[in-house]
Each structure stands twice: as C-alpha cells, then as structure tokens.
Amino acid sequence: MVRFEQQDIDPELKSEMDAILSCANNTRRGLDMLGEFSLAPARHGSDHGNSLHIRAVPLSDAEECEFRFDMQLQYNKREPVRIWVERLLEAAATFRDLAQREEGSRSLRRLIEEAIAPVAGGLHPARLIAIGLKVSDVSPGYLMLADIETLGENLRMGIHRHRVDDVGVFGSELADLVADHAERKRLRCSRTSVDRSAG
C-alpha cells in the first residue's frame, strides 16, 4: 500500500476538522449519490495554497468526478463548526445539481492520461488519482482539480494537487510534471542500483 504524504495539521485544527466531518456526515440529506466526507490526501503545499480538501467520492460507477471543498489551514477568524458544516453541505448540494460536471471530468481525465502515459509504467509510475470539482467561492461556476501521484523532490511518491484554471496553462504544467517525474525516476533508480552494488 502506498503511504501518501499529508499536510501537517495542528492538533486544534485537526480536532475541529474531525468535528466538521462527523457533523456533516451525520446531518447530510439528499446527497445519496456521494459517499461520506473525508480528507483528501496531498503532498504539503502541492496546490500552491495552504488549504485542506474535504472530498466525497461518487457512489455510482457511471460518475468519476469527486466533490471537493477546501478549508484554509490557517485563518484569522475561527468560525463555529456549524457554520463550516452549513457551507460544506450547501456546496455539496450545488455540486449534486451541476449537470456539466461529468463532461468536464471526462475531458480532463483524457488530457491527463495522455500526458502522463510516458511515465505511467515500470517502477514508480505516475498515475491519476482523482478528478475533483469544487464550487467557486469567488465567482459563479466551479473549479476543476486533478490529484496526480508522482515522485516529489525528496524522491518519494505523493499526491500533487493541481488547480485547473486554464486548460492551456495546465497542459504546460502537465508537461513539466512529466519531465520532473521522469528525471526523479531516473535519479531514484540510479540511487537504488548504487545502493545494491554497495551492499
């Protein structure tokens, strides 16, 4: 089983997150198409932000797009748990009613799988973990997210989260991700062979 890196969460915030998840899972209504809310693992700071993502996986095999909701790891004004639960459930209901979410998810999946194909085999393969969608909190509409498992700077596997604001820019980011992963894979394999020959 792959052990993914996860953001460091201070104990007070972790306790608050657990309370939010528990309350949201106990009070949800009309969201039968989604599994339980949980934290989505990712490499620390991977989406150039400082936030945690709550996820809910669709229960239907016909749907691939995960629900996502983000919370800042540090924020100046702490809101009561019930306020976060209300926001989470409202965002999940909006996600449920978005008719175009699966079409966008399928297009994004094809783009990513084609881009990472050169590094998706052999030892330490890169792979798409999930496509997520979060309702935008700054403008009407939504934001697509892609969680891709790659080798990080420390040459360990982890999930890198990408925000897809612009498909053209994202295509360039994917090309960089593939090149970085290929180089890190080469370095890791050469280290392994040096360690074996030294042993």
Side-chain angles (χ1 to χ4, degrees):
M1 181 171 120
V2 177
R3 296 177 62 124
F4 296 118
E5 300 171 56
Q6 176 59 283
Q7 293 104 320
D8 295 324
I9 309 172
D10 75 71
E12 184 181 346
L13 183 56
K14 176 69 168 71
S15 174
E16 187 173 347
M17 288 300 303
D18 290 343
I20 290 167
L21 291 172
S22 176
C23 186
N25 282 322
N26 288 334
T27 59
R28 50 191 266 151
R29 289 183 184 81
L31 297 173
D32 296 341
M33 42 83 75
L34 290 173
E36 287 201 340
F37 298 114
S38 62
L39 290 182
R43 185 177 285 130
H44 181 66
S46 70
D47 65 356
H48 309 293
N50 198 18
S51 62
L52 282 174
H53 276 235
I54 294 174
R55 73 190 293 204
V57 178
L59 296 177
S60 167
D61 291 339
E63 298 197 27
E64 301 178 347
C65 188
E66 293 187 359
F67 163 75
R68 293 297 177 89
F69 179 85
D70 63 354
M71 290 184 63
Q72 294 303 308
L73 281 172
Q74 297 179 5
Y75 42 90
N76 295 327
K77 182 182 176 187
R78 293 285 174 120
E79 300 279 7
V81 166
R82 66 176 178 76
I83 298 296
W84 282 112
V85 170
E86 286 172 13
R87 289 177 184 160
L88 172 60
L89 294 176
E90 182 180 315
T94 302
F95 171 90
R96 175 196 62 200
D97 297 336
L98 281 173
Q100 69 272 42
R101 69 176 183 271
E102 283 304 314
E103 182 181 337
S105 172
R106 282 190 289 272
S107 298
L108 188 56
R109 179 174 294 276
R110 280 192 301 273
L111 174 69
I112 294 167
E113 288 179 344
E114 287 174 12
I116 67 172
V119 290
L123 292 172
H124 320 299
R127 65 188 178 112
L128 175 62
I129 299 296
I131 299 289
L133 181 149
K134 71 179 280 293
V135 177
S136 175
D137 45 12
V138 293
S139 63
Y142 58 88
L143 176 69
M144 298 296 290
L145 303 152
D147 290 356
I148 304 172
E149 181 187 358
T150 61
L151 286 165
E153 291 178 3
N154 59 3
L155 304 186
R156 289 171 48 197
M157 295 300 284
I159 297 176
H160 196 86
R161 178 162 299 131
H162 296 266
R163 291 168 44 119
V164 185
D165 296 308
D166 178 285
V167 173
V169 172
F170 181 60
S172 175
E173 290 174 358
L174 279 174
D176 291 343
L177 181 78
V178 167
D180 288 345
H181 183 79
E183 176 61 17
R184 291 166 183 166
K185 191 173 180 176
R186 186 191 66 74
L187 287 170
R188 180 158 173 170
C189 289
S190 65
R191 271 193 197 171
T192 303
S193 60
V194 167
D195 291 345
R196 283 187 185 146
S197 62

